Amino acid sequence: MYDPLHDKSPGCGVAYPSSYWAETSGQPPENDQALTQDINVDVAIIGAGYTGLSCALHLARNYGINATVLEANQTAWGCSGRNAGFILKSSGRKSYSQMQKQWGEEVMRGIYDEMSAGVATVNQLIAEGIDCQAQQPGYIKVAHKENKLQELVDLAKLQQKMFGYDVQVLSRDELHQQYMADQNAYGAIRYQDGYGINPLKLAWGYQKLARQAGAKIHCSSPVVNWQSTGNGHQLITPNGIVSAKKVVIATNGYTPKGFHPLVTNRTLPVLSQVIVTDALTEQQLAACNFLSSNVVMDTRALKYYYRKLPDNRILFGGRGAITGKSAEDPYYANRLLQVLKTSFPALQNINIAYAWSGWICMALDDLPHIYQNDSKDVFYSMGYCGSGVSFSVQAGKRLADKVAEAAVPDLPLYNCALPKFPLAPLRRVGQWGYFHYGKIKDTWF
Ligand SMILES: Cc1cc2nc3c(=O)[nH]c(=O)nc-3n(C[C@H](O)[C@H](O)[C@H](O)COP(=O)(O)OP(=O)(O)OC[C@H]3O[C@@H](n4cnc5c(N)ncnc54)[C@H](O)[C@@H]3O)c2cc1C
């Protein structure tokens, strides 16, 4: 599998991975085909995931700027077509209490407002007619240990007090009786506004809207070389050169090695693994009391997440391999299946129907950053830390504002660069260490 820390390109025209989404969503909508000639544009966007598509859409709609999107493979070939489809009012991994401590209440509220705006924008775009199999609202965060339930209750209190956020506390019995009988759960909190969607269809919907608004989207057009002339940029693709006044890097966890100095050594791509089981029978659903299709995540440092899909399969995810070379080792999918079976012992005979993985993008400070170079002609947004389905759309919108030289809120999300990883060549060693620390923490503390 393509490994962004080792490879200089994600390929050209590579097919979607054989995920549940790619195999059950039908045909992708039309794009503008691979670039076959040299072109001049005002704005080029590299990467056709949610970030790039949202940036293109908002540039066209809000500023009349018709950008050209260059995608190496297929629309949403990266994370946007591989994720678990949880729409959550959050991004990054930094907690609100940490933000409050570091920056004070006003900044913390500003960040919360931006995360909320992300969900609102996704809701509005879906309401324009995107068929992405949105499920019943509800996001359940389960305590994987007794002491974690108190932490969740404290979090719920903070969010209720600070943001008036509607958070419900569920005892283990309430969770088991009203939602699902997860044997690894000691209770939970439940937000009313998270929900599950088909992530690939969501991206395809954005693509349609962006093209209708005037953007061009060229798949099978990887940027394999980039020359800055001092008076603009030349992006070299296999069959055409794009001369652009401004360039947006929307490649997130799929950013190739050494792609651009502005982002080099500022992210850590980490594999997240997903399995989708066979459809549960009525008896299996009843034995697990699986009443809900709410999206679920636990409190582990190395999180597990799951949801019941519209056809009664279970999607279950967690951490994957460390390197691209081992990404497809069935060990990682089977490990998830074993954990699923401990949560729902009635599923002892369930099989994996689909398994795949994708590169999420970690930031050193656990926060996404939307930033630019000093001459304000190269922009990026990345570092969603595995939680970007909704916020990447807000980030794309803010990128569009920046490209069009409009004001954006004065927040660490937008006014500072992604921090560099110290000892960057050793990032994977650090990741390996964190996985071991996480395992110990999740088991013993
Ligand atoms: C398994 C998994 C589960 C996840 N689950 C959730 C979830 O449930 N909820 C949530 O909020 N977040 C989730 N995420 C994270 C979320 O999917 C991402 O934050 C989001 O999709 C990022 O979108 P993006 O557009 O920034 O990047 P991507 O979708 O990764 O798009 C980057 C694109 O850039 C292209 N590219 C790279 N290099 C080049 C080049 N040189 N030239 C041209 N194109 C290039 C790639 O081909 C790729 O298509 C998950 C991620 C994974 C991997």
Side-chain angles (χ1 to χ4, degrees):
M1 187 197 233
Y2 165 63
D3 188 330
L5 283 195
H6 288 284
D7 300 326
K8 294 231 158 200
S9 166
C12 176
V14 179
Y16 288 115
S18 49
S19 70
Y20 172 75
W21 309 123
E23 303 211 346
T24 62
S25 298
Q27 286 304 310
E30 262 181 44
N31 68 78
D32 294 284
Q33 309 293 330
L35 194 69
T36 52
Q37 57 180 7
D38 296 352
I39 55 171
N40 283 301
V41 300
D42 287 332
V43 180
I45 299 172
I46 307 171
Y50 302 139
T51 304
L53 294 170
S54 167
C55 182
L57 174 65
H58 289 101
L59 275 173
R61 280 194 180 172
N62 298 351
Y63 300 104
I65 297 172
N66 293 335
T68 293
V69 183
L70 301 168
E71 165 55 48
N73 297 313
Q74 320 294 330
T75 300
W77 179 83
C79 270
S80 299
R82 301 172 190 235
N83 64 68
F86 289 28
I87 302 272
L88 305 176
K89 205 187 262 182
S90 63
S91 190
R93 284 169 62 94
K94 208 176 181 82
S95 69
Y96 284 106
S97 54
Q98 284 171 320
M99 292 182 205
Q100 189 183 23
K101 242 186 244 156
Q102 191 172 345
W103 298 305
E105 209 168 303
E106 200 183 327
V107 169
M108 176 198 66
R109 279 183 201 282
I111 293 177
Y112 175 79
D113 288 345
E114 287 295 296
M115 303 294 170
S116 305
V119 176
T121 309
V122 174
N123 291 345
Q124 278 160 19
L125 294 174
I126 291 176
E128 288 186 32
I130 300 180
D131 165 24
C132 60
Q133 299 165 307
Q135 291 185 283
Q136 270 182 349
Y139 162 38
I140 298 175
K141 197 155 184 182
V142 299
H144 78 284
K145 295 210 151 192
E146 210 151 6
N147 62 347
K148 292 287 165 188
L149 185 57
Q150 191 52 48
E151 284 179 24
L152 286 180
V153 172
D154 292 345
L155 174 68
K157 279 189 190 146
L158 178 80
Q159 291 182 321
Q160 275 158 351
K161 182 169 154 235
M162 292 290 170
F163 315 126
Y165 203 173
D166 188 5
V167 195
Q168 189 187 353
V169 177
L170 299 170
S171 68
R172 178 182 167 95
D173 285 349
E174 286 166 333
L175 179 76
H176 281 201
Q177 283 157 18
Q178 296 167 31
Y179 297 95
M180 70 280 295
D182 182 340
Q183 300 304 315
N184 287 327
Y186 285 81
I189 55 174
R190 181 172 177 275
Y191 302 87
Q192 315 291 338
D193 56 0
Y195 61 99
I197 45 95
N198 174 326
L200 185 57
K201 283 188 149 193
L202 183 65
W204 287 351
Y206 293 158
Q207 166 166 306
K208 272 196 206 156
L209 295 178
R211 289 184 77 230
Q212 277 163 11
K216 292 257 184 265
I217 294 151
H218 297 283
C219 291
S220 301
S221 305
V223 174
V224 291
N225 211 334
W226 179 333
Q227 287 156 9
S228 297
T229 58
N231 189 22
H233 302 270
Q234 292 209 317
L235 306 175
I236 322 295
T237 74
N239 296 304
I241 297 174
V242 179
S243 302
K245 290 187 189 131
K246 294 183 179 180
V247 181
V248 172
I249 307 174
T251 48
N252 201 42
Y254 284 76
T255 310
K257 183 178 179 188
F259 191 57
H260 192 278
L262 200 57
V263 292
T264 298
N265 294 338
R266 290 176 192 268
T267 58
L268 170 62
V270 170
L271 280 170
S272 187
Q273 171 82 42
V274 170
I275 58 171
V276 169
T277 66
D278 288 336
L280 270 56
T281 61
E282 289 303 325
Q283 290 89 329
Q284 285 170 325
L285 286 169
C288 305
N289 206 31
F290 227 125
L291 301 172
S292 172
S293 53
N294 283 183
V295 296
V296 185
M297 198 174 319
D298 74 9
T299 41
R300 286 179 169 83
L302 307 174
K303 296 193 182 335
Y304 294 113
Y305 49 87
Y306 63 87
R307 58 185 273 217
K308 184 173 67 157
L309 296 169
D311 58 3
N312 288 337
R313 297 170 188 272
I314 305 298
L315 178 154
F316 196 90
R319 76 176 176 90
I322 291 190
T323 62
K325 221 157 88 186
S326 348
E328 273 134 33
D329 185 334
Y331 165 81
Y332 296 97
N334 287 328
R335 190 174 60 182
L336 291 183
L337 184 66
Q338 295 319 313
V339 180
L340 170 65
K341 288 178 180 176
T342 63
S343 279
F344 300 102
L347 302 184
Q348 280 319 307
N349 297 323
I350 199 88
N351 292 313
I352 297 174
Y354 302 89
W356 70 94
S357 58
W359 296 102
I360 62 172
C361 187
M362 305 305 291
L364 185 65
D365 63 353
D366 288 336
L367 202 71
H369 290 266
I370 293 84
Y371 205 59
Q372 65 284 319
N373 61 356
D374 291 342
S375 45
K376 299 205 168 131
D377 60 351
V378 181
F379 303 79
Y380 67 80
S381 172
M382 47 184 82
Y384 309 112
C385 306
S387 184
V389 175
S390 61
F391 183 67
S392 57
V393 174
Q394 184 67 5
K397 198 172 174 181
R398 292 305 186 195
L399 274 170
D401 293 339
K402 286 193 170 211
V403 170
E405 295 172 30
V408 300
D410 187 18
L411 294 169
L413 295 167
Y414 307 128
N415 62 18
C416 55
L418 279 165
K420 266 198 176 158
F421 276 81
L423 305 172
L426 301 180
R427 274 170 287 180
R428 289 238 160 109
V429 179
Q431 181 187 348
W432 181 85
Y434 182 80
F435 281 177
H436 282 271
Y437 156 80
K439 229 155 106 183
I440 293 167
K441 185 165 181 258
D442 292 339
T443 313
W444 301 105
F445 299 100

